[in-house]
mmCIF file of all heavy atoms in Angstrom:
data_model
loop_
_atom_site.group_PDB
_atom_site.id
_atom_site.type_symbol
_atom_site.label_atom_id
_atom_site.label_comp_id
_atom_site.label_asym_id
_atom_site.label_seq_id
_atom_site.Cartn_x
_atom_site.Cartn_y
_atom_site.Cartn_z
ATOM 1 N N GLY A 12 -45.275 49.714 -3.535
ATOM 2 C CA GLY A 12 -45.949 49.717 -2.246
ATOM 3 C C GLY A 12 -45.457 48.624 -1.328
ATOM 4 O O GLY A 12 -45.970 48.452 -0.225
ATOM 5 N N SER A 13 -44.441 47.861 -1.775
ATOM 6 C CA SER A 13 -43.944 46.742 -0.972
ATOM 7 C C SER A 13 -42.982 47.237 0.103
ATOM 8 O O SER A 13 -42.551 48.389 0.096
ATOM 9 C CB SER A 13 -43.244 45.705 -1.854
ATOM 10 O OG SER A 13 -41.942 46.142 -2.177
ATOM 11 N N ILE A 14 -42.621 46.330 0.991
ATOM 12 C CA ILE A 14 -41.746 46.701 2.111
ATOM 13 C C ILE A 14 -40.307 46.943 1.662
ATOM 14 O O ILE A 14 -39.554 47.662 2.312
ATOM 15 C CB ILE A 14 -41.800 45.614 3.211
ATOM 16 C CG1 ILE A 14 -41.220 46.146 4.533
ATOM 17 C CG2 ILE A 14 -41.115 44.332 2.759
ATOM 18 C CD1 ILE A 14 -41.519 45.282 5.725
ATOM 19 N N PHE A 15 -39.920 46.361 0.520
ATOM 20 C CA PHE A 15 -38.529 46.490 0.051
ATOM 21 C C PHE A 15 -38.392 47.761 -0.782
ATOM 22 O O PHE A 15 -39.109 47.957 -1.754
ATOM 23 C CB PHE A 15 -38.130 45.272 -0.787
ATOM 24 C CG PHE A 15 -36.644 45.124 -0.980
ATOM 25 C CD1 PHE A 15 -35.910 44.220 -0.227
ATOM 26 C CD2 PHE A 15 -35.956 45.915 -1.899
ATOM 27 C CE1 PHE A 15 -34.535 44.090 -0.386
ATOM 28 C CE2 PHE A 15 -34.590 45.796 -2.062
ATOM 29 C CZ PHE A 15 -33.878 44.881 -1.304
ATOM 30 N N ASN A 16 -37.461 48.608 -0.410
ATOM 31 C CA ASN A 16 -37.248 49.891 -1.089
ATOM 32 C C ASN A 16 -36.754 49.671 -2.522
ATOM 33 O O ASN A 16 -35.667 49.135 -2.728
ATOM 34 C CB ASN A 16 -36.205 50.701 -0.302
ATOM 35 C CG ASN A 16 -36.038 52.103 -0.846
ATOM 36 O OD1 ASN A 16 -36.434 52.409 -1.965
ATOM 37 N ND2 ASN A 16 -35.438 52.966 -0.049
ATOM 38 N N PRO A 17 -37.534 50.074 -3.543
ATOM 39 C CA PRO A 17 -37.131 49.839 -4.931
ATOM 40 C C PRO A 17 -35.779 50.478 -5.283
ATOM 41 O O PRO A 17 -35.070 49.988 -6.162
ATOM 42 C CB PRO A 17 -38.247 50.486 -5.761
ATOM 43 C CG PRO A 17 -39.376 50.704 -4.832
ATOM 44 C CD PRO A 17 -38.809 50.790 -3.446
ATOM 45 N N GLN A 18 -35.425 51.555 -4.579
ATOM 46 C CA GLN A 18 -34.148 52.216 -4.869
ATOM 47 C C GLN A 18 -32.947 51.363 -4.452
ATOM 48 O O GLN A 18 -31.813 51.644 -4.844
ATOM 49 C CB GLN A 18 -34.083 53.577 -4.160
ATOM 50 C CG GLN A 18 -35.101 54.556 -4.710
ATOM 51 C CD GLN A 18 -35.139 55.848 -3.918
ATOM 52 O OE1 GLN A 18 -34.442 55.996 -2.910
ATOM 53 N NE2 GLN A 18 -35.958 56.784 -4.355
ATOM 54 N N ARG A 19 -33.204 50.332 -3.649
ATOM 55 C CA ARG A 19 -32.118 49.439 -3.224
ATOM 56 C C ARG A 19 -32.038 48.183 -4.096
ATOM 57 O O ARG A 19 -31.221 47.316 -3.840
ATOM 58 C CB ARG A 19 -32.344 49.014 -1.761
ATOM 59 C CG ARG A 19 -32.341 50.192 -0.781
ATOM 60 C CD ARG A 19 -30.929 50.520 -0.387
ATOM 61 N NE ARG A 19 -30.840 51.711 0.412
ATOM 62 C CZ ARG A 19 -30.020 51.850 1.458
ATOM 63 N NH1 ARG A 19 -29.276 50.832 1.835
ATOM 64 N NH2 ARG A 19 -29.930 52.981 2.098
ATOM 65 N N ARG A 20 -32.925 48.075 -5.068
ATOM 66 C CA ARG A 20 -32.935 46.870 -5.906
ATOM 67 C C ARG A 20 -31.786 46.863 -6.910
ATOM 68 O O ARG A 20 -31.153 45.847 -7.139
ATOM 69 C CB ARG A 20 -34.271 46.732 -6.649
ATOM 70 C CG ARG A 20 -35.398 46.343 -5.723
ATOM 71 C CD ARG A 20 -36.615 45.828 -6.461
ATOM 72 N NE ARG A 20 -37.666 45.453 -5.501
ATOM 73 C CZ ARG A 20 -37.724 44.299 -4.877
ATOM 74 N NH1 ARG A 20 -36.802 43.382 -5.092
ATOM 75 N NH2 ARG A 20 -38.710 44.038 -4.028
ATOM 76 N N GLY A 21 -31.529 47.994 -7.537
ATOM 77 C CA GLY A 21 -30.421 48.085 -8.488
ATOM 78 C C GLY A 21 -29.099 48.257 -7.757
ATOM 79 O O GLY A 21 -29.054 48.341 -6.526
ATOM 80 N N ILE A 22 -28.007 48.320 -8.506
ATOM 81 C CA ILE A 22 -26.690 48.524 -7.877
ATOM 82 C C ILE A 22 -26.595 49.979 -7.424
ATOM 83 O O ILE A 22 -26.650 50.898 -8.242
ATOM 84 C CB ILE A 22 -25.557 48.160 -8.855
ATOM 85 C CG1 ILE A 22 -25.573 46.646 -9.099
ATOM 86 C CG2 ILE A 22 -24.196 48.593 -8.296
ATOM 87 C CD1 ILE A 22 -24.600 46.156 -10.126
ATOM 88 N N PHE A 23 -26.500 50.173 -6.122
ATOM 89 C CA PHE A 23 -26.455 51.527 -5.568
ATOM 90 C C PHE A 23 -25.214 51.746 -4.699
ATOM 91 O O PHE A 23 -24.945 52.862 -4.260
ATOM 92 C CB PHE A 23 -27.719 51.815 -4.744
ATOM 93 C CG PHE A 23 -27.829 51.004 -3.480
ATOM 94 C CD1 PHE A 23 -27.371 51.522 -2.271
ATOM 95 C CD2 PHE A 23 -28.364 49.721 -3.491
ATOM 96 C CE1 PHE A 23 -27.459 50.767 -1.102
ATOM 97 C CE2 PHE A 23 -28.454 48.968 -2.333
ATOM 98 C CZ PHE A 23 -28.005 49.492 -1.133
ATOM 99 N N GLN A 24 -24.445 50.679 -4.449
ATOM 100 C CA GLN A 24 -23.290 50.808 -3.557
ATOM 101 C C GLN A 24 -22.010 51.099 -4.333
ATOM 102 O O GLN A 24 -21.908 50.832 -5.539
ATOM 103 C CB GLN A 24 -23.128 49.520 -2.742
ATOM 104 C CG GLN A 24 -24.270 49.290 -1.772
ATOM 105 C CD GLN A 24 -24.067 48.062 -0.902
ATOM 106 O OE1 GLN A 24 -23.432 47.091 -1.302
ATOM 107 N NE2 GLN A 24 -24.618 48.086 0.300
ATOM 108 N N ASP A 25 -21.029 51.630 -3.622
ATOM 109 C CA ASP A 25 -19.701 51.875 -4.187
ATOM 110 C C ASP A 25 -19.025 50.531 -4.420
ATOM 111 O O ASP A 25 -18.787 49.776 -3.484
ATOM 112 C CB ASP A 25 -18.899 52.723 -3.186
ATOM 113 C CG ASP A 25 -17.461 52.957 -3.637
ATOM 114 O OD1 ASP A 25 -17.116 52.588 -4.776
ATOM 115 O OD2 ASP A 25 -16.675 53.510 -2.835
ATOM 116 N N MET A 26 -18.714 50.221 -5.675
ATOM 117 C CA MET A 26 -18.121 48.922 -6.009
ATOM 118 C C MET A 26 -16.614 49.028 -6.269
ATOM 119 O O MET A 26 -16.018 48.110 -6.845
ATOM 120 C CB MET A 26 -18.820 48.326 -7.240
ATOM 121 C CG MET A 26 -20.316 48.151 -7.088
ATOM 122 S SD MET A 26 -20.780 47.136 -5.661
ATOM 123 C CE MET A 26 -20.261 45.520 -6.229
ATOM 124 N N SER A 27 -16.011 50.126 -5.828
ATOM 125 C CA SER A 27 -14.592 50.352 -6.133
ATOM 126 C C SER A 27 -13.684 50.164 -4.919
ATOM 127 O O SER A 27 -12.530 50.575 -4.931
ATOM 128 C CB SER A 27 -14.414 51.767 -6.702
ATOM 129 O OG SER A 27 -14.792 52.729 -5.730
ATOM 130 N N GLN A 28 -14.201 49.543 -3.850
ATOM 131 C CA GLN A 28 -13.382 49.317 -2.663
ATOM 132 C C GLN A 28 -12.742 47.922 -2.723
ATOM 133 O O GLN A 28 -13.159 47.073 -3.504
ATOM 134 C CB GLN A 28 -14.246 49.478 -1.420
ATOM 135 C CG GLN A 28 -14.863 50.877 -1.339
ATOM 136 C CD GLN A 28 -15.133 51.315 0.075
ATOM 137 O OE1 GLN A 28 -14.475 50.879 1.017
ATOM 138 N NE2 GLN A 28 -16.104 52.192 0.241
ATOM 139 N N PRO A 29 -11.721 47.656 -1.886
ATOM 140 C CA PRO A 29 -11.056 46.338 -1.916
ATOM 141 C C PRO A 29 -12.036 45.195 -1.640
ATOM 142 O O PRO A 29 -12.999 45.372 -0.893
ATOM 143 C CB PRO A 29 -10.001 46.442 -0.799
ATOM 144 C CG PRO A 29 -9.820 47.898 -0.559
ATOM 145 C CD PRO A 29 -11.108 48.565 -0.897
ATOM 146 N N LEU A 30 -11.774 44.044 -2.222
ATOM 147 C CA LEU A 30 -12.649 42.874 -2.069
ATOM 148 C C LEU A 30 -13.001 42.577 -0.615
ATOM 149 O O LEU A 30 -14.116 42.162 -0.316
ATOM 150 C CB LEU A 30 -11.972 41.621 -2.657
ATOM 151 C CG LEU A 30 -12.060 41.367 -4.156
ATOM 152 C CD1 LEU A 30 -11.403 40.038 -4.476
ATOM 153 C CD2 LEU A 30 -13.498 41.377 -4.645
ATOM 154 N N CYS A 31 -12.039 42.781 0.285
ATOM 155 C CA CYS A 31 -12.262 42.423 1.690
ATOM 156 C C CYS A 31 -13.299 43.323 2.364
ATOM 157 O O CYS A 31 -13.705 43.055 3.496
ATOM 158 C CB CYS A 31 -10.950 42.445 2.474
ATOM 159 S SG CYS A 31 -10.088 44.012 2.403
ATOM 160 N N HIS A 32 -13.733 44.385 1.689
ATOM 161 C CA HIS A 32 -14.724 45.298 2.265
ATOM 162 C C HIS A 32 -16.164 44.906 1.924
ATOM 163 O O HIS A 32 -17.094 45.661 2.197
ATOM 164 C CB HIS A 32 -14.456 46.728 1.806
ATOM 165 C CG HIS A 32 -13.268 47.335 2.480
ATOM 166 N ND1 HIS A 32 -12.841 48.633 2.236
ATOM 167 C CD2 HIS A 32 -12.395 46.833 3.396
ATOM 168 C CE1 HIS A 32 -11.767 48.878 2.966
ATOM 169 N NE2 HIS A 32 -11.481 47.799 3.681
ATOM 170 N N TYR A 33 -16.334 43.724 1.328
ATOM 171 C CA TYR A 33 -17.669 43.290 0.901
ATOM 172 C C TYR A 33 -18.031 41.933 1.499
ATOM 173 O O TYR A 33 -17.167 41.072 1.665
ATOM 174 C CB TYR A 33 -17.737 43.164 -0.632
ATOM 175 C CG TYR A 33 -17.514 44.465 -1.357
ATOM 176 C CD1 TYR A 33 -16.218 44.922 -1.616
ATOM 177 C CD2 TYR A 33 -18.582 45.253 -1.775
ATOM 178 C CE1 TYR A 33 -15.996 46.125 -2.267
ATOM 179 C CE2 TYR A 33 -18.368 46.457 -2.432
ATOM 180 C CZ TYR A 33 -17.076 46.892 -2.671
ATOM 181 O OH TYR A 33 -16.862 48.088 -3.319
ATOM 182 N N PHE A 34 -19.329 41.756 1.781
ATOM 183 C CA PHE A 34 -19.855 40.417 1.997
ATOM 184 C C PHE A 34 -20.055 39.819 0.608
ATOM 185 O O PHE A 34 -20.554 40.486 -0.302
ATOM 186 C CB PHE A 34 -21.195 40.466 2.738
ATOM 187 C CG PHE A 34 -21.110 41.029 4.137
ATOM 188 C CD1 PHE A 34 -21.866 42.138 4.510
ATOM 189 C CD2 PHE A 34 -20.272 40.448 5.083
ATOM 190 C CE1 PHE A 34 -21.793 42.657 5.797
ATOM 191 C CE2 PHE A 34 -20.188 40.959 6.381
ATOM 192 C CZ PHE A 34 -20.945 42.069 6.732
ATOM 193 N N ILE A 35 -19.677 38.547 0.447
ATOM 194 C CA ILE A 35 -19.688 37.914 -0.874
ATOM 195 C C ILE A 35 -20.590 36.676 -0.827
ATOM 196 O O ILE A 35 -20.383 35.781 0.001
ATOM 197 C CB ILE A 35 -18.252 37.517 -1.298
ATOM 198 C CG1 ILE A 35 -17.337 38.750 -1.287
ATOM 199 C CG2 ILE A 35 -18.251 36.849 -2.671
ATOM 200 C CD1 ILE A 35 -15.853 38.437 -1.472
ATOM 201 N N ALA A 36 -21.593 36.614 -1.697
ATOM 202 C CA ALA A 36 -22.504 35.460 -1.738
ATOM 203 C C ALA A 36 -21.703 34.205 -2.054
ATOM 204 O O ALA A 36 -21.057 34.126 -3.095
ATOM 205 C CB ALA A 36 -23.585 35.684 -2.789
ATOM 206 N N SER A 37 -21.738 33.216 -1.150
ATOM 207 C CA SER A 37 -20.813 32.078 -1.246
ATOM 208 C C SER A 37 -21.499 30.748 -0.974
ATOM 209 O O SER A 37 -22.329 30.626 -0.076
ATOM 210 C CB SER A 37 -19.663 32.255 -0.241
ATOM 211 O OG SER A 37 -19.038 33.502 -0.440
ATOM 212 N N SER A 38 -21.097 29.740 -1.750
ATOM 213 C CA SER A 38 -21.698 28.411 -1.659
ATOM 214 C C SER A 38 -20.691 27.399 -1.130
ATOM 215 O O SER A 38 -19.501 27.474 -1.429
ATOM 216 C CB SER A 38 -22.190 28.003 -3.055
ATOM 217 O OG SER A 38 -22.351 26.615 -3.150
ATOM 218 N N HIS A 39 -21.189 26.438 -0.364
ATOM 219 C CA HIS A 39 -20.375 25.347 0.182
ATOM 220 C C HIS A 39 -20.757 24.048 -0.520
ATOM 221 O O HIS A 39 -21.930 23.817 -0.822
ATOM 222 C CB HIS A 39 -20.649 25.228 1.691
ATOM 223 C CG HIS A 39 -19.940 24.087 2.355
ATOM 224 N ND1 HIS A 39 -18.573 23.976 2.372
ATOM 225 C CD2 HIS A 39 -20.418 23.005 3.039
ATOM 226 C CE1 HIS A 39 -18.229 22.883 3.041
ATOM 227 N NE2 HIS A 39 -19.335 22.268 3.443
ATOM 228 N N ASN A 40 -19.754 23.187 -0.788
ATOM 229 C CA ASN A 40 -20.047 21.907 -1.463
ATOM 230 C C ASN A 40 -20.989 22.117 -2.649
ATOM 231 O O ASN A 40 -22.009 21.444 -2.787
ATOM 232 C CB ASN A 40 -20.690 20.906 -0.492
ATOM 233 C CG ASN A 40 -19.700 20.378 0.532
ATOM 234 O OD1 ASN A 40 -18.487 20.571 0.405
ATOM 235 N ND2 ASN A 40 -20.206 19.727 1.551
ATOM 236 N N THR A 41 -20.639 23.060 -3.498
ATOM 237 C CA THR A 41 -21.544 23.516 -4.561
ATOM 238 C C THR A 41 -21.989 22.384 -5.477
ATOM 239 O O THR A 41 -23.073 22.431 -6.054
ATOM 240 C CB THR A 41 -20.854 24.623 -5.387
ATOM 241 O OG1 THR A 41 -20.225 25.549 -4.492
ATOM 242 C CG2 THR A 41 -21.844 25.370 -6.248
ATOM 243 N N TYR A 42 -21.166 21.367 -5.594
ATOM 244 C CA TYR A 42 -21.455 20.263 -6.501
ATOM 245 C C TYR A 42 -22.569 19.357 -5.991
ATOM 246 O O TYR A 42 -23.133 18.557 -6.734
ATOM 247 C CB TYR A 42 -20.189 19.411 -6.722
ATOM 248 C CG TYR A 42 -19.448 19.129 -5.441
ATOM 249 C CD1 TYR A 42 -19.752 18.029 -4.651
ATOM 250 C CD2 TYR A 42 -18.467 20.006 -4.985
ATOM 251 C CE1 TYR A 42 -19.109 17.798 -3.457
ATOM 252 C CE2 TYR A 42 -17.804 19.790 -3.789
ATOM 253 C CZ TYR A 42 -18.132 18.685 -3.024
ATOM 254 O OH TYR A 42 -17.492 18.475 -1.836
ATOM 255 N N LEU A 43 -22.907 19.452 -4.688
ATOM 256 C CA LEU A 43 -23.899 18.538 -4.113
ATOM 257 C C LEU A 43 -25.316 19.057 -4.298
ATOM 258 O O LEU A 43 -25.593 20.237 -4.096
ATOM 259 C CB LEU A 43 -23.639 18.330 -2.621
ATOM 260 C CG LEU A 43 -22.453 17.437 -2.249
ATOM 261 C CD1 LEU A 43 -22.339 17.328 -0.740
ATOM 262 C CD2 LEU A 43 -22.577 16.052 -2.869
ATOM 263 N N MET A 44 -26.224 18.137 -4.649
ATOM 264 C CA MET A 44 -27.641 18.468 -4.778
ATOM 265 C C MET A 44 -28.424 18.017 -3.544
ATOM 266 O O MET A 44 -29.556 18.413 -3.347
ATOM 267 C CB MET A 44 -28.239 17.785 -6.018
ATOM 268 C CG MET A 44 -27.547 18.148 -7.321
ATOM 269 S SD MET A 44 -27.704 19.900 -7.721
ATOM 270 C CE MET A 44 -29.412 19.976 -8.221
ATOM 271 N N GLU A 45 -27.775 17.154 -2.713
ATOM 272 C CA GLU A 45 -28.474 16.606 -1.546
ATOM 273 C C GLU A 45 -27.535 16.607 -0.339
ATOM 274 O O GLU A 45 -26.825 17.570 -0.111
ATOM 275 C CB GLU A 45 -28.980 15.185 -1.859
ATOM 276 C CG GLU A 45 -29.928 15.113 -3.057
ATOM 277 C CD GLU A 45 -30.012 13.719 -3.636
ATOM 278 O OE1 GLU A 45 -29.987 12.757 -2.849
ATOM 279 O OE2 GLU A 45 -30.078 13.590 -4.877
ATOM 280 N N ASP A 46 -27.520 15.466 0.408
ATOM 281 C CA ASP A 46 -26.715 15.418 1.630
ATOM 282 C C ASP A 46 -25.238 15.154 1.326
ATOM 283 O O ASP A 46 -24.857 14.881 0.196
ATOM 284 C CB ASP A 46 -27.267 14.358 2.606
ATOM 285 C CG ASP A 46 -27.112 12.941 2.047
ATOM 286 O OD1 ASP A 46 -25.962 12.459 1.993
ATOM 287 O OD2 ASP A 46 -28.115 12.329 1.662
ATOM 288 N N GLN A 47 -24.405 15.191 2.384
ATOM 289 C CA GLN A 47 -22.949 15.123 2.210
ATOM 290 C C GLN A 47 -22.384 13.709 2.275
ATOM 291 O O GLN A 47 -21.173 13.537 2.158
ATOM 292 C CB GLN A 47 -22.269 15.970 3.291
ATOM 293 C CG GLN A 47 -22.643 17.429 3.213
ATOM 294 C CD GLN A 47 -21.853 18.266 4.189
ATOM 295 O OE1 GLN A 47 -20.716 17.950 4.500
ATOM 296 N NE2 GLN A 47 -22.450 19.331 4.690
ATOM 297 N N LEU A 48 -23.248 12.720 2.482
ATOM 298 C CA LEU A 48 -22.742 11.352 2.590
ATOM 299 C C LEU A 48 -23.076 10.509 1.364
ATOM 300 O O LEU A 48 -22.246 9.770 0.861
ATOM 301 C CB LEU A 48 -23.318 10.682 3.844
ATOM 302 C CG LEU A 48 -22.814 11.246 5.171
ATOM 303 C CD1 LEU A 48 -23.499 10.554 6.324
ATOM 304 C CD2 LEU A 48 -21.308 11.091 5.292
ATOM 305 N N ARG A 49 -24.328 10.627 0.898
ATOM 306 C CA ARG A 49 -24.752 9.794 -0.229
ATOM 307 C C ARG A 49 -25.278 10.617 -1.383
ATOM 308 O O ARG A 49 -25.773 10.081 -2.359
ATOM 309 C CB ARG A 49 -25.863 8.837 0.228
ATOM 310 C CG ARG A 49 -25.442 7.835 1.272
ATOM 311 C CD ARG A 49 -26.665 7.194 1.915
ATOM 312 N NE ARG A 49 -27.357 8.133 2.793
ATOM 313 C CZ ARG A 49 -28.544 7.904 3.335
ATOM 314 N NH1 ARG A 49 -29.173 6.788 3.065
ATOM 315 N NH2 ARG A 49 -29.094 8.780 4.136
ATOM 316 N N GLY A 50 -25.227 11.935 -1.259
ATOM 317 C CA GLY A 50 -25.893 12.827 -2.212
ATOM 318 C C GLY A 50 -25.340 12.771 -3.627
ATOM 319 O O GLY A 50 -24.238 12.298 -3.887
#
C-alpha cells in the first residue's frame, strides 16, 4: 500500500547494455568519514 511500486524493488531492467547506458551509484572521497580538511 506504499507509494513505491513493489514491482520496481527487484531487478527489472535490462542489464545487458553497455556500461555507459547506466547511472552508476558512486562515492567521492570514500575513505573520509567527516570533512575534507581534518576528517
Side-chain angles (χ1 to χ4, degrees):
S13 79
I14 196 167
F15 196 101
N16 186 343
Q18 294 174 357
R19 299 275 173 140
R20 288 196 179 277
I22 292 175
F23 68 94
Q24 294 184 330
D25 176 7
M26 303 304 288
S27 63
Q28 300 208 27
L30 277 184
C31 57
H32 286 181
Y33 297 84
F34 296 122
I35 303 171
S37 305
S38 160
H39 176 60
N40 288 348
T41 315
Y42 44 88
L43 286 180
M44 302 296 287
E45 301 160 37
D46 66 71
Q47 298 186 31
L48 291 177
R49 296 165 288 170

